[in-house]
Coordinates of all heavy atoms in Angstrom, one line a residue:
R20 N -10.2 -25.8 15.2 CA -8.8 -26.2 15.3 C -8.5 -27.3 14.3 O -7.6 -28.1 14.5 CB -8.5 -26.7 16.7 CG -8.8 -25.7 17.8 CD -8.1 -26.0 19.1 NE -8.4 -25.0 20.1 CZ -7.7 -23.8 20.2 NH1 -6.7 -23.5 19.4 NH2 -8.0 -23.0 21.1
K21 N -9.1 -27.3 13.1 CA -8.9 -28.2 12.1 C -7.6 -27.9 11.2 O -6.9 -28.7 10.7 CB -10.0 -28.3 11.1 CG -11.3 -28.9 11.7 CD -12.4 -29.2 10.6 CE -12.7 -28.0 9.9 NZ -13.8 -28.1 9.0
N22 N -7.4 -26.6 11.1 CA -6.3 -26.1 10.2 C -5.3 -25.3 10.9 O -5.5 -24.1 11.2 CB -7.0 -25.3 9.1 CG -6.0 -24.8 8.1 OD1 -4.8 -25.0 8.2 ND2 -6.4 -24.1 7.1
P23 N -4.1 -25.9 11.2 CA -3.1 -25.2 12.0 C -2.5 -24.0 11.3 O -2.0 -23.1 11.9 CB -2.1 -26.2 12.3 CG -2.2 -27.3 11.3 CD -3.7 -27.3 10.9
D24 N -2.7 -23.9 10.0 CA -2.2 -22.8 9.2 C -3.3 -21.8 8.9 O -3.0 -20.8 8.1 CB -1.5 -23.3 7.9 CG -0.2 -23.9 8.1 OD1 0.5 -23.4 9.0 OD2 0.2 -24.8 7.4
A25 N -4.4 -21.9 9.5 CA -5.5 -20.9 9.3 C -5.0 -19.6 9.8 O -4.2 -19.5 10.8 CB -6.8 -21.4 10.0
F26 N -5.5 -18.5 9.3 CA -5.1 -17.2 9.6 C -5.1 -16.9 11.1 O -4.2 -16.5 11.8 CB -6.0 -16.2 8.9 CG -5.6 -14.7 9.0 CD1 -4.4 -14.2 8.6 CD2 -6.5 -13.9 9.7 CE1 -4.1 -12.9 8.7 CE2 -6.2 -12.5 9.8 CZ -5.0 -12.1 9.3
M28 N -5.4 -19.1 13.6 CA -4.5 -20.0 14.4 C -3.1 -19.5 14.4 O -2.4 -19.5 15.4 CB -4.6 -21.4 13.8 CG -5.9 -22.1 14.0 SD -6.2 -22.5 15.7 CE -5.0 -23.8 16.0
R29 N -2.6 -19.0 13.2 CA -1.2 -18.5 13.2 C -1.1 -17.2 14.0 O -0.1 -17.1 14.7 CB -0.8 -18.2 11.7 CG -0.7 -19.5 10.9 CD -0.2 -19.3 9.5 NE 1.1 -18.7 9.5 CZ 2.3 -19.4 9.6 NH1 2.3 -20.7 9.8 NH2 3.5 -18.8 9.6
Q32 N -0.8 -18.1 17.6 CA 0.5 -18.7 18.0 C 1.6 -17.7 17.9 O 2.8 -18.1 18.0 CB 0.7 -19.9 17.0 CG -0.2 -21.0 17.2 CD -0.2 -22.0 16.1 OE1 0.6 -21.9 15.1 NE2 -1.1 -23.0 16.1
Q34 N 2.5 -16.2 15.1 CA 3.2 -16.4 13.8 C 2.5 -15.4 12.8 O 1.3 -15.2 12.8 CB 3.1 -17.8 13.3 CG 3.7 -18.8 14.3 CD 3.5 -20.2 13.8 OE1 2.6 -20.5 13.0 NE2 4.3 -21.1 14.3

Side-chain angles (χ1 to χ4, degrees):
R20 301 199 181 275
K21 292 188 305 187
N22 181 358
D24 283 329
F26 184 65
M28 291 292 290
R29 292 186 61 83
Q32 296 164 2
Q34 299 175 342

